[in-house]
Structures are given as C-alpha cells and as structure tokens.
Amino acid sequence: MSTQAKYKTEPMKLWKKAKEFKTNHFKEYHDAHKNGKLRFLASTALSISMHSGFENAVIMGAEPFAANVAFWKDFGIKAMEICEARGMSRELCGYSKCVWGAEFMNQNIMPAGTMLDEWGKPDFASAFSLAPCHCKWFQILCENSDTPMYLFDLPKAYPYNDENLVEYMTGQTLACIEEAEKAVGQPFIDELFIEGVKNEIKAYDMWTEIMLLNQAIPAPMDEKTMFSFIVPNLTRPYDPATYEFMKELRDEVQDRVDRGIAAVGNEQFRLITDAIPPWPALEIYRYLEREYGAVVVGSPYVICLCGCWKFENDEGDLIPTPTPMDLGMPMNTREETAKALCWYRSHFSTETPYNIACGEVLHELTLKIAKQWKADGGTLHQNQGCTMQALGGLESRNAVAEAGIPCILYEGNDADSRDIDMTNMKRKFDIFFEANNVKRLTK
Amino acid sequence: MAEDKKEYFRWVESTYVNPDIDWKKAEIISAGIDVGSVSSQMCVLCDGEIYAYSNTRSGSSSPNSAQNAMDLCLKDTDGLKLDDIHYLVGTGYGRVNIPFCQRAITEISCHGIGANFMYGPTVKTVLDMGGQDCKTLRLNEKGKCLNFLMNDKCAAGTGRGMEVIAEILKVPVTDIGDRSFDIDEEPEPVSSTCVVFAKSEATGLLKDGWSKNKVLAAYCAAMAERVVDLLNRIEVEKDFAITGGIAKNKGVVKRIEKLIGVEALEPKMDTQIAGAVGAAIYGRALYKKQKK
Amino acid sequence: MFEKFGEILENRHEYAREWKKRTGGKVVGFFCSYAPEEPLQAAGILPVRIIGGHKSSDKVGKFIAPNIGCSFCRDALGRGLEGDYDYLDGIVQGQTCLHTGEAFWVWEKHLPVEFSYFLAVPHSTQNVGREKYLAVEYAKFKKALEEWIGKEITNEDLDRGIDTYNTNRQRIRQIFDYRKQDNPLVTGTEALDLALSGQIMDRNEHNQLMKEVLEKLPDRQMDRDPGTRIMIIGSVNTDREFMDMVENQCDLPATIVIDDTCTGIRYNFNDVNPQDDRLMAISLRYNHRPPCPNKDWPRRRRIPFIKHLMKAYNVEAVILFNHKFCQPHQLDNAVIERELKAMDIPNLTLEFDIRIPIGQFRTRVEAMLETTMDII
C-alpha cells in the first residue's frame, strides 16, 4: 500500500484474475474446435446467454473480440486497411472492420499479443440491431464466411416495460434457439439455459452494485481499470463463476470504499465520459490521472454496459432495474426465461440507451450519471468509429454543460488509431483543465 | 533576401519538338490539351506519333492556360498553327472552358489511353498523381478505362501538397525525392497529412531535431500511404505505371512501390503529358470516324 | 408536362401554408419513408416529408457534429432550425436509422411542436412476429393521433387513407413504366420531381395531377438522345442539380431510367392489400416493401430487387450514392458494386453532401459514360 498526498491507494486485487479470465476465455474460444466444442460469436447486447443452453458452446462476445483487435494497433490498422481495400468506407463502424479484417486476413490476436493463424470462424453467430450497422456487420461477416446466423430486431426499448416489445423479443429468442439447434445439430438444454440466464441476471445486478459504489469520494475504481472487469459479463455472463467473480469484486470495492482507498491517489477532479474509449490510446487515462489527478469515474458506456438500469419513475435518478427474480417473474421454462431475460435486458443495458435513437434520453442519462457520480467535469469521446455512440454526443455535452458541469468533446476512434492524434488530444485536455483551474501535478 | 524571394514550388516548364518529323507531310495532325488546376500540357501527334508537346504552369483562367500551353507547344515547330490541326481534344479540369477544342473528354479516359501509348499495352493499372487530385485506373490492353477511383477532397497525395512542403522547408520541389533518401533511417510517416497544418507539423519536427531530409522522407512516406489506399481499392494488376508530376518524385514513387510490392514501369517520356497524349490519340480516332 | 411538380416542390413551404389556410387542416412532418402516412392521411392531416434545401446551416453544429451526422439529416434539421418549417403542427418518425432518429429528437427538443411521435418500426423485415409487432405499434399511434385531433379515426377513414396512397403509388409506377421504352418518355429529373413532390403535397391533389399527365403521356414526343440508360441507387435523393447534370450537361448523352431510392421506386413499389384489420394491412405493406438497407437482413432482398429493376428498365450503367456518414448505404453499396462488377455493368460510386461538387461529379460521370463508348 503506497501513500499519496491526498488519498491512500492500492492496486485492485482482482485485476490479475480479471486478466486471466479474459486470456483463458479467448484461448478457450480459439481452441474450441480442437477440444470438440462449438464456437458462437454473439454481439454482447442481449444474446450471450441466449446460447447458454448449448452444452458444448464457447460463446465469444463480438465486441470484446473487436476491442482486442483495436487495442493491438498494428494488427488493428491491418484490419482497417484490408477492409478499405475491399471497398468498405473508412467511416464504417470500427468494431465491424476489426472483425471483418480478422476474417479477411484469417488471423487473430490474443489479449497478450500472440498472433493466431486463424481468425476463429464461428459455428453460429447472432447480433442485435443496436445501430444502423450491427446486423449489417454480421450479415457481411456471415456471408463471407458462410456462417449460419440469427439477427435480432430490437426496435425501441423505451419507455420501459413495453409488452409488445417483450413479446416480440421473446418470440425472436425462441426462434433463434430453434435456428441454432438446426444449424449446429446439437440439442438446446433448457435447464442450462435457465441457469445461465439467472446467472447473467445476477452478475449484471451485481455490476450495478459495484457501479453505485464508485459514486464514493475518492472513487475506488477508475474507468480504465473497470474495462478489465467488464469482460466476464460480456463474455461469460451465464457462467456461475462470473457471478462469483462479480461478488468478489463488489466485496473488494466495498472494502476500498470503507477504507477510503482511491483509484487515483491525487484525485482532485472527477470526470465522466460517455462512449467506448479510444482502445488504441488508453494511455490517455493515465495521462489525465498523472498530470491532473483527474479520474474517470464512469460513463453511460461502462455503467450500463453490463448492468441494467432505469430512471426511477421515469423522471428521477438512475437506479438498478429490479431483477425478474426480485419481482417473482416465473423462470421455469424456456419461454418464461426468454421473456424474463428480454424484459430485464430491455432496460438501460449495454447499448440500449444508444439504440433508443440517441436523442430521446441519452443526454439525460449522461447528465444523471454526471450528477449521481459527482463529476466535476465531462470529457466525451466523439468516437469516429461508432456513429451510434457519437451521434448524440453534442446533445449530451450540451445537457451536462448547461447544468453547470464543464464538459468538452474530444475526437478519437475506438478502433482506428489513424484517427487518433494524441498530441492534439492531450492539448485539448490541457486547455480544459487550465480553463477549469485544475492544477497540473507534474512540472 | 534572394532566398526569401525564391519560389521553391516552381518546377521547370518544358517543351519538345521531334526533329525527325515534318508535320507538313502528315496525313492527320491531332492534338490534345490537358488543362489541370496546377499545370497544363499540349501534345501534337502527326499520324499517331508525338511531334511536339509542352508542359506549363496553369493560371487562374482555363482558356488562357490552354492558350499558353498551345503557344509554348507550337513555338518551336516549323510554323504549325491551330488551323493546321485536324482535331483537337480538350481534357483535364478546365476542359469545358477550352474555346478552340472540338471535343472534351475526361482526363480519366485520356490518361488511360495516354499511359497505354507511353508505357505499352501491358500496362493494366495506372496511378495518376496530379496537381490537385489523384486517380487510379484499371485498363484493358487498348488503354480503355475499365474502372477508376478518384480522390480529390484532400491535397495530401497531390502535387499541390508537395509544393506546399517545398515552400515550408525551402527545398526546391524537384529535389525533394532524392533528398528524402539521404537519411540514416526511414522515419514514420507524419501523422497529419493535412496540407493546411503541414507548416506547424514540419516546424514541430524540425524543432525536435529532425533534419530537413528526414522531414521530407516522412512527408513522402505519408503521401505514399494516402495514395496506396486508392491503389488497394482498385486492386493493382501488373504492369503498373505512374503518370502526372509526382511520378518524377522518386521519394514518393519508391515508397509506393514498397508498400504495394509492385514496381512501376520506368517512364521513357515526360510523365506529365499523359493526359494530353491520350487526348491527342482520341482526337485522331474521332477525326477518322468523322471522315468516314 | 412535369413542370407543375417541380414548381410545387420548389415552393413546398408556400404550398403547405396555403393548404393549411385552405383546408384548416394540420400538417405533420416526417423524416423517413417508414413514417405511418396512411393513418395520418386518414386523420385528415397532411404528411410532408422534411427534406433539406441543399443549404448549410450553422445552427446544426450545436446539436449534430458535421463529422458524424448524415448530410441529409443535417440539411433537413438545418431547414427546421432556420424556420423554414415553422408551419408544422407535428413531427413523426418511423424508426429506421439513427441519423433520422437523432434529427427527430433534436427537432422535438428544440423546435417544439404540438404533436410528436416516434413509431417503433421494426428494423427487421423478415423476423418472426414483426408484422404483428408493427400492427400493435400502429394501434398505439392511432390512439395518440385520436387524442391529439380529438376524434376517432374510423375504419372508413383508414380505407380512404389507404386508397389515396395506393392510388398515388400506382400512378407513380404507371408513369415510371414509360421510362422502360427505348426512348423514355420521362426523364430521371422529371421522375424525381414527380415522386418527391408527392411526398410534400396532398396525395389527392397529387393524384389528380398525375391523372392529367397519364392522359397526355402516351402522345409525348421526346426531343433528346436518351444515350446510356442509367440507374441511380442510394438513399434519399433530392438532388435535382445532380440529376440534371447527368441528363443534360454531360458531353455524352444519358438518361436516368430508374432508381432504387426512397424518394423513388423503392418507396412506391408496393401497395396496401386491404383486409379487415386495416392496421395489419398497413403493417404488411411496410414490412414487405423493398427495404432500406438498414432493414435488409439477414437475407438480402434489395439486391434481387435491384436486378429485377435493371432487367425491366434495361439498365446499362449504375450510379451508386450515399450521403456522407450514411453507414447502411455505404455497407450495401460495397456489396452492390461487387455484384455489378460481376455483371460487367459500368458503375460509379459517389458521396453526396449538403452541397455537391458538381464539376468534379461531372468528370466522374462523364468518365463512366466514356467507359461505355468505343472510339479507339
């Protein structure tokens, strides 16, 4: 434990375990066929646990897959270039180009940076219509690799508790299960599915507890660290080990809050952001912490990504959505479980806030988070690699700034490092902090 | 003082007349004028062979630029005049404003035919790096354009971009290519190729201790990268040739070749006249068609 | 013969204001062709498509970043922020892409109107349950409309709305049929004026104008070389300047004989088949119409549709366009380009913005036309 001028700080005990979790999962996915298992590639919006009824499935979240490609800059650029050579516009979704790129090159990269000589063709793929291109992403991916797929339609998930929506989503979930059974030629075991969904709900609910703890001053976690902890929920939410991990994490974070352990010892300015970070340039977080004691305490992205939330009474603060189990929703059959899952996940979770056509509530959500997580300022990522997230960015910035919380937008890209200009990004932050009288901590 | 007044962007205008051809004996005299935004050329063919050409800097007026190119081209010919030319085709950005041409054909088609003439029927892929735009073409064995891509929203990767660098670094534009290889180690391409920001980026690099040559190398590398995007999209098939002014810049050409893994054909004539040559060839064909 | 359509289009705001004064009715703006127009018509409301004016507005940049938002939506929103649409009583959006959605929400927040409704149109046109889902959403929309206008929308009203729109689309298709001829009797520019004017005027009045055209059209004499037969493929095409350049200003003759755009045939291709459950009938029509690329998955329905049109209209070359930052069309265009290449059809891809560089586009179009000629 080291002492800083302002707060005590210590590394997260579970960080190493989180890293191992990720590495092991990527390896398991890559080696699935060798080990007689199936590979499922699923967009992390709603459909991971949908496949948990397949006993032999290793399910990879498409977004963690893509983010990993983006993180490894050189490989990421190759992925971009091969897509562009095939006529894909540079403006297209960065994540889709990461995965297509891996597919076109038939290569992949592990979290530790080891190159793989095949990209990991799935046996089945599924995606949700989060953004204009999510389902098109998978359509192209599966056309090129001849992969059977099921693409879900998620029309509009707000206001909550829309019966028509839940019925529609449930029907699609059941249809997906049947399609997947036919495609992979293996039975879908309802008991595994029910258990998997319950585990997911519990793990997601636990994440909301953890996120709420980060409202504490000093913040026990910084957002960059949180990115390591979201992986289990995004890749194996159905696994009981994930829920156990989340409980451990909650306990550790609670302990840090109780003892006043900070993520950033010199925390003097709390920031929120909004969207997927610039994965090729995560060092910007450490720049903010080191130079200005500025800690990113949360964002609609990391808070909602693997937790389910709602506005209390549709007007008030952001609170965790009660779970189906809390509400006594039956989950004894495939149909009941599918319905409960769709109901639960149709609240603000993963990218549903963005799917809600950005402008309806995203700015309000961002402002609520800024207030509830006690932010002193906002630095929102105008993410060129993701229209879905960036489109509402200005309105979010306006809402936060008009509420008296200084807020800027900075340009970047979640996947394409060629769009990232670190010099100018740092300069923008320097100006922001100077304008807000935040003392620079280094000479 | 003298150095301050020197125009580093300025390249030498040129003219050529073939001493072995007597235009008065030619059956068909056709010509092409290529009026670009930075340079203009005229080429005269006598029965399909190059008799004369010129390469001048364009002004703000397309008709004047065309006239200047023509005046320079015909200056040292043995009395050849506009009236002696059977068919004149205009091409380039200013083609719609050449009052004395009989037909306008796009520079894309003309560069294809021109490259076929200059490099031979084996050329399948052409990169034209002009004054303010870049284009890639796929050709058949007759030089007909089968597919093309253009990038003209950004000056990086064009002659104008290179001229700006020349001025900023006070290096004659014709020296840039060779000097970009006079370095110890190949640098990373500059991250921002925006010509508007070039000065601040170059200043920053020089302040960091970079030599002028190294900065030039970084810009040439960045330009090559910008252009390779277009080439990858068109899918390079050999033989590969480069036309336009930047074909004379070895610094960019060699770096492109390295990135795409294909060598460009060695030019045997001024690469800037490809459009005018192609236009003149079209002129000859159109004249013959007209006569039928 | 088609000048009237162009005039109304040019003066669309004056038309709408005059319609309001004349009828006492309400006007509702919509952004996308998946908006629920039949119920609006049934309610006695004039639905008008909100389109841009090919003019930048510096007011948009506060709400939608120019390096993120689709150029069409920024232009359309800009017109709203500049006050061009101050006569609107309401706005409606049928969920399609995020850009039109964002434009809707920004409009609702900053240009308040009496009535606003975001209809959750399914993204899928193939998934189980979509038709019923949409029919239920229509029922909710109808209820909201009734509350606003203060009266019930009956089945008879819906029948009238359906009939008006069916007639409108049928007549557009009939007129478009004359473009199949060797010397098309309607140019692409005229067809754009025709189809787009329908989206901004009372469909009954539009139907009447089309009836008059259909009476005269068979005897029309065209005094132009049709040249290369071009199909234009893309999203919202409101660019008359571009169409006119292609057809009237290039050095080589050309005619745009058909399109796959949502201001043309894609929007007008199919009708509502009447049934007892009127809202289900409308839902079926919107689910089964040629899809926007945003809704064209998992199986591609758009490409067979495009190939069908190419055959029917004897298309010789294709211009593909997308608005800047429009991802659905960028994605589809890459695939369509490959299909066209495999079919040996000359094609050109262009990126439209609020203002287009007409000179540069002319060079590209002419270069494409030149690839179809054999002089040498």
Side-chain angles (χ1 to χ4, degrees):
Chain A
M1 188 167 77
S2 63
T3 50
Q4 299 287 334
K6 206 169 174 187
Y7 299 111
K8 286 180 283 190
T9 183
E10 46 185 67
M12 295 283 301
K13 294 186 185 97
L14 280 174
W15 190 82
K16 190 164 171 255
K17 193 170 175 184
K19 285 289 178 192
E20 281 166 6
F21 189 106
K22 182 178 176 182
T23 304
N24 292 342
H25 185 74
F26 270 70
K27 186 167 192 311
E28 193 185 345
Y29 178 79
H30 179 69
D31 291 343
H33 288 165
K34 227 179 3 182
N35 298 330
K37 295 192 170 195
L38 296 168
R39 285 192 194 128
F40 277 63
L41 185 69
S43 75
T44 53
L46 269 142
S47 67
I48 293 279
S49 295
M50 305 239 170
H51 305 303
S52 58
F54 290 104
E55 196 167 17
N56 279 327
V58 183
I59 311 168
M60 171 59 76
E63 287 80 359
F65 182 114
N68 187 54
V69 171
F71 177 76
W72 291 101
K73 274 183 254 199
D74 289 346
F75 186 67
I77 289 176
K78 287 201 179 99
M80 301 293 128
E81 286 175 344
I82 196 170
C83 290
E84 285 151 27
R86 291 198 181 204
M88 307 295 199
S89 166
R90 191 158 165 166
E91 291 158 8
L92 289 175
C93 160
Y95 272 8
S96 59
K97 287 189 286 176
C98 285
V99 183
W100 291 331
E103 180 193 12
F104 296 153
M105 292 188 285
N106 196 21
Q107 286 182 318
N108 201 358
I109 191 161
M110 291 290 273
T114 325
M115 287 299 303
L116 301 170
D117 57 8
E118 63 121 351
W119 76 283
K121 179 186 173 328
D123 300 293
F124 192 82
S126 66
F128 276 76
S129 61
L130 293 170
C133 53
H134 244 69
C135 285
K136 301 296 281 183
W137 161 9
F138 274 69
Q139 181 185 48
I140 289 171
L141 182 79
C142 296
E143 278 171 349
N144 281 306
S145 60
D146 206 20
T147 302
M149 59 181 164
Y150 192 88
L151 305 180
F152 283 81
D153 181 6
L154 176 64
K156 187 176 180 293
Y158 185 81
Y160 318 113
N161 306 324
D162 185 298
E163 265 186 52
N164 194 24
L165 175 80
V166 174
E167 195 184 321
Y168 183 37
M169 296 306 298
T170 306
Q172 289 179 80
T173 306
L174 299 173
C176 172
I177 290 170
E178 283 176 24
E179 290 256 347
E181 270 185 314
K182 277 189 225 144
V184 303
Q186 288 194 17
F188 186 86
I189 302 167
D190 287 345
E191 288 74 26
L192 287 179
F193 171 59
I194 294 166
E195 193 201 327
V197 169
K198 284 182 178 167
N199 286 333
E200 173 177 314
I201 291 170
K202 289 190 302 191
Y204 271 58
D205 191 47
M206 192 54 57
W207 183 256
T208 63
E209 277 193 48
I210 295 165
M211 287 295 98
L212 287 171
L213 287 169
N214 224 47
Q215 293 175 352
I217 297 173
M221 284 197 297
D222 63 275
E223 193 176 71
K224 184 175 184 291
T225 302
M226 288 187 229
F227 294 143
S228 298
F229 293 126
I230 58 178
V231 177
N233 269 1
L234 293 181
T235 49
R236 304 180 74 94
Y238 48 88
D239 189 340
T242 297
Y243 174 55
E244 293 305 318
F245 176 84
M246 286 297 159
K247 272 200 300 189
E248 264 191 87
L249 181 62
R250 188 271 318 268
D251 292 344
E252 181 179 350
V253 175
Q254 181 70 68
D255 175 61
R256 288 167 74 93
V257 170
D258 293 341
R259 291 189 294 125
I261 305 296
V264 175
N266 283 326
E267 178 184 308
Q268 62 172 352
F269 201 85
R270 292 166 68 93
L271 287 170
I272 56 129
T273 181
D274 60 338
I276 300 172
W279 293 119
L282 288 181
E283 67 258 35
I284 195 66
Y285 282 87
R286 298 305 178 222
Y287 175 81
L288 300 176
E289 291 162 9
R290 187 180 63 241
E291 301 295 322
Y292 295 100
V295 57
V296 181
V297 298
S299 62
Y301 174 66
V302 80
I303 287 169
C304 298
L305 192 59
C306 35
C308 293
W309 303 80
K310 57 183 279 190
F311 291 134
E312 191 174 0
N313 298 323
D314 286 32
E315 283 164 357
D317 284 345
L318 200 64
I319 61 165
T321 301
T323 67
M325 289 84 89
D326 290 338
L327 297 176
M329 289 175 78
M331 291 174 72
N332 302 310
T333 65
R334 183 192 291 190
E335 290 77 7
E336 287 171 352
T337 304
K339 185 172 176 178
L341 178 66
C342 290
W343 174 85
Y344 184 61
R345 295 298 300 275
S346 67
H347 290 75
F348 290 153
S349 105
T350 49
E351 269 92 2
T352 50
Y354 303 96
N355 166 264
I356 303 166
C358 299
E360 187 175 11
V361 289
L362 179 63
H363 58 280
E364 217 174 300
L365 178 68
T366 310
L367 178 58
K368 287 283 180 225
I369 287 173
K371 286 182 172 169
Q372 286 177 242
W373 270 259
K374 305 182 185 79
D376 302 300
T379 49
L380 310 187
H381 181 201
Q382 197 170 56
N383 184 358
Q384 296 286 134
C386 180
T387 303
M388 180 185 75
Q389 297 202 327
L391 200 45
L394 270 174
E395 284 282 69
S396 289
R397 189 225 79 97
N398 294 340
V400 171
E402 281 160 23
I405 301 171
C407 189
I408 57 164
L409 283 162
Y410 70 94
E411 283 186 23
N413 196 303
D414 60 4
D416 192 346
S417 58
R418 298 168 303 176
D419 273 354
I420 296 172
D421 183 344
M422 281 301 285
T423 307
N424 277 317
M425 201 190 288
K426 286 177 181 170
R427 192 180 303 158
K428 195 152 195 181
F429 285 124
D430 289 343
I431 294 167
F432 173 71
F433 289 120
E434 191 179 270
N436 288 286
N437 299 317
V438 180
K439 187 177 150 211
R440 190 167 195 141
L441 299 177
T442 60
K443 289 209 176 100
Chain B
M1 277 304 260
E3 200 192 77
D4 287 343
K5 288 203 170 105
K6 188 173 172 178
E7 292 170 320
Y8 295 93
F9 68 88
R10 206 168 272 287
W11 37 269
V12 176
E13 297 185 335
S14 59
T15 179
Y16 167 79
V17 178
N18 188 334
D20 299 327
I21 294 180
D22 181 355
W23 68 266
K24 296 183 183 87
K25 294 186 177 150
E27 198 185 323
I28 301 176
I29 303 172
S30 63
I33 294 195
D34 181 355
V35 178
S37 44
V38 172
S39 66
S40 298
Q41 297 80 27
M42 177 167 178
C43 175
V44 177
L45 301 181
C46 288
D47 296 324
E49 276 199 61
I50 293 181
Y51 169 57
Y53 67 74
S54 66
N55 183 14
T56 71
R57 194 156 189 94
S58 293
S60 54
S61 153
S62 293
N64 288 349
S65 299
Q67 188 67 50
N68 290 342
M70 185 164 67
D71 291 344
L72 188 62
C73 182
L74 302 183
K75 183 166 74 84
D76 294 328
T77 61
D78 186 18
L80 178 67
K81 293 188 292 298
L82 176 61
D83 290 340
D84 300 313
I85 296 171
H86 297 110
Y87 207 103
L88 194 149
V89 169
T91 188
Y93 164 75
R95 70 188 181 280
V96 298
N97 287 327
I98 303 173
F100 43 81
C101 74
Q102 277 125 300
R103 173 82 181 259
I105 294 179
T106 67
E107 57 272 36
I108 290 123
S109 298
C110 290
H111 268 269
I113 298 292
N116 177 274
F117 179 90
M118 289 163 65
Y119 291 98
T122 62
V123 67
K124 294 280 185 313
T125 313
V126 174
L127 166 67
D128 175 50
M129 296 179 76
Q132 284 188 16
D133 68 28
C134 247
K135 36 192 168 297
T136 52
L137 288 66
R138 285 292 296 273
L139 309 178
N140 69 8
E141 68 288 348
K142 291 188 189 167
K144 182 180 165 178
C145 179
L146 304 172
N147 192 12
F148 68 93
L149 288 171
M150 288 178 80
N151 179 6
D152 52 15
K153 281 190 183 173
C154 173
T158 69
R160 189 70 200 114
M162 203 49 87
E163 288 178 353
V164 167
I165 300 304
E167 279 302 313
I168 290 167
L169 293 174
K170 298 199 184 331
V171 171
V173 71
T174 46
D175 293 353
I176 287 177
D178 288 338
R179 285 184 66 163
S180 78
F181 288 117
D182 190 8
I183 49 175
D184 295 329
E185 193 183 41
E186 183 73 9
E188 285 292 309
V190 290
S191 59
S192 165
T193 50
C194 178
V195 164
V196 175
F197 294 129
K199 185 167 186 180
S200 55
E201 176 120 32
T203 308
L205 292 171
L206 291 170
K207 247 210 240 164
D208 284 347
W210 284 40
S211 66
K212 274 191 189 177
N213 290 353
K214 194 175 173 189
V215 175
L216 291 172
Y219 270 101
C220 287
M223 267 198 200
E225 270 196 354
R226 295 294 271 209
V227 157
V228 159
D229 265 346
L230 273 185
L231 282 168
N232 284 338
R233 280 187 56 198
I234 205 95
E235 289 173 16
V236 175
E237 192 188 334
K238 283 163 111 173
D239 283 322
F240 166 58
I242 305 179
T243 60
I246 298 216
K248 299 173 186 174
N249 183 326
K250 290 288 172 209
V252 177
V253 168
K254 290 295 164 199
R255 288 173 172 95
I256 289 172
E257 289 173 343
K258 193 168 173 207
L259 284 169
I260 61 173
V262 176
E263 276 188 29
L265 293 174
E266 200 58 42
K268 293 184 174 57
M269 33 187 119
D270 190 335
T271 54
Q272 282 180 273
I273 66 167
V277 168
I281 296 172
Y282 269 117
R284 180 175 147 83
L286 287 164
Y287 180 72
K288 282 161 102 175
K289 194 174 170 190
Q290 194 179 274
K291 269 178 76 175
K292 277 189 203 158
Chain C
M1 196 177 289
F2 291 87
E3 294 78 12
K4 187 76 183 157
F5 299 104
E7 277 164 29
I8 293 173
L9 188 58
E10 185 73 27
N11 300 296
R12 53 191 173 277
H13 304 303
E14 289 73 18
Y15 172 88
R17 289 192 180 94
E18 190 275 333
W19 185 91
K20 277 185 82 161
K21 232 188 330 187
R22 180 164 35 98
T23 65
K26 294 186 193 290
V27 181
V28 165
F30 66 92
F31 290 86
C32 169
S33 61
Y34 279 89
E37 290 181 77
E38 285 88 343
L40 287 165
Q41 177 82 21
I45 291 167
L46 172 64
V48 301
R49 188 159 192 178
I50 297 172
I51 59 177
H54 299 286
K55 290 184 227 177
S56 300
S57 164
D58 57 11
K59 296 187 167 129
V60 180
K62 189 178 173 192
F63 307 112
I64 298 183
N67 58 346
I68 303 280
C70 132
S71 53
F72 170 73
C73 291
R74 282 186 287 117
D75 190 6
L77 178 62
R79 293 299 99 219
L81 293 167
E82 294 289 347
D84 292 4
Y85 281 97
D86 57 4
Y87 53 83
L88 289 181
D89 300 291
I91 51 167
V92 159
Q93 165 66 352
Q95 183 175 34
T96 318
C97 69
L98 282 171
H99 296 275
T100 47
E102 183 69 8
F104 172 89
W105 293 115
V106 170
W107 192 298
E108 194 208 39
K109 191 176 176 205
H110 300 284
L111 296 164
V113 286
E114 272 177 39
F115 177 80
S116 63
Y117 198 95
F118 192 97
L119 181 76
V121 178
H123 288 304
S124 167
T125 58
Q126 298 172 40
N127 282 13
V128 67
R130 69 199 181 281
E131 289 144 349
K132 182 176 169 221
Y133 175 83
L134 183 55
V136 170
E137 293 301 308
Y138 277 136
K140 292 182 201 168
F141 174 63
K142 178 170 163 287
K143 188 153 173 267
L145 265 185
E146 286 165 344
E147 276 168 23
W148 180 41
I149 62 174
K151 66 178 175 98
E152 190 199 351
I153 300 169
T154 64
N155 277 339
E156 289 70 36
D157 293 327
L158 284 171
D159 287 340
R160 271 195 296 277
I162 289 169
D163 186 56
T164 297
Y165 271 77
N166 276 353
T167 305
N168 193 259
R169 293 181 183 119
Q170 281 159 14
R171 286 188 185 166
I172 287 174
R173 294 199 301 271
Q174 281 177 281
I175 292 172
F176 274 31
D177 273 347
Y178 286 93
R179 301 164 76 188
K180 289 177 179 169
Q181 295 181 3
D182 287 346
N183 195 353
L185 295 186
V186 185
T187 67
T189 315
E190 289 168 340
L192 177 62
D193 283 346
L194 171 78
L196 195 50
S197 60
Q199 295 187 350
I200 56 90
M201 61 185 289
D202 184 318
R203 296 289 178 141
N204 287 311
E205 293 173 13
H206 194 246
N207 286 345
Q208 183 53 37
L209 288 178
M210 285 201 285
K211 190 168 175 226
E212 290 161 19
V213 165
L214 280 165
E215 281 159 8
K216 297 183 215 157
L217 199 47
D219 298 324
R220 194 184 198 196
Q221 299 295 323
M222 296 299 274
D223 179 24
R224 62 189 298 281
D225 179 354
T228 305
R229 299 173 69 87
I230 295 179
M231 179 174 186
I232 184 160
I233 296 176
S235 59
V236 186
N237 179 19
T238 59
D239 210 308
R240 290 188 84 258
E241 190 191 7
F242 176 78
M243 303 287 276
D244 184 64
M245 178 272 287
V246 171
E247 293 189 308
N248 299 318
Q249 291 171 42
C250 286
D251 285 329
L252 291 173
T255 306
I256 297 168
V257 297
I258 193 59
D259 68 278
D260 172 41
T261 69
C262 63
T263 36
I265 198 71
R266 185 163 73 229
Y267 172 68
N268 291 297
F269 193 73
N270 66 335
D271 302 325
V272 177
N273 291 325
Q275 59 170 270
D276 282 344
D277 185 343
R278 273 71 167 181
L279 296 178
M280 177 57 86
I282 298 171
S283 166
L284 288 171
R285 187 252 156 197
Y286 279 88
N287 269 293
H288 295 167
R289 56 158 274 194
C292 167
N294 209 36
K295 298 185 188 293
D296 191 23
W297 44 265
R299 272 181 356 266
R300 289 187 187 273
R301 291 173 47 221
R302 222 181 136 220
I303 290 179
F305 174 65
I306 288 168
K307 287 181 175 174
H308 160 77
L309 289 176
M310 286 177 68
K311 197 168 170 201
Y313 286 82
N314 196 17
V315 167
E316 295 166 329
V318 172
I319 296 174
L320 293 152
F321 78 91
N322 62 266
H323 286 281
K324 187 119 183 93
F325 302 114
C326 170
Q327 298 208 14
H329 280 275
Q330 282 170 347
L331 282 160
D332 262 18
N333 283 354
V335 175
I336 297 169
E337 245 188 86
R338 276 204 296 279
E339 293 277 336
L340 293 172
K341 194 176 166 185
M343 292 162 66
D344 263 327
I345 299 278
N347 62 89
L348 175 67
T349 301
L350 297 172
E351 190 174 75
F352 280 17
D353 208 324
I354 294 176
R355 299 293 315 271
I356 59 169
I358 199 77
Q360 289 166 343
F361 276 14
R362 183 179 159 176
T363 298
R364 286 159 165 82
V365 172
E366 283 183 342
M368 183 193 70
L369 294 173
E370 284 162 5
T371 67
T372 66
M373 73 181 187
D374 265 313
I375 300 172
I376 295 179

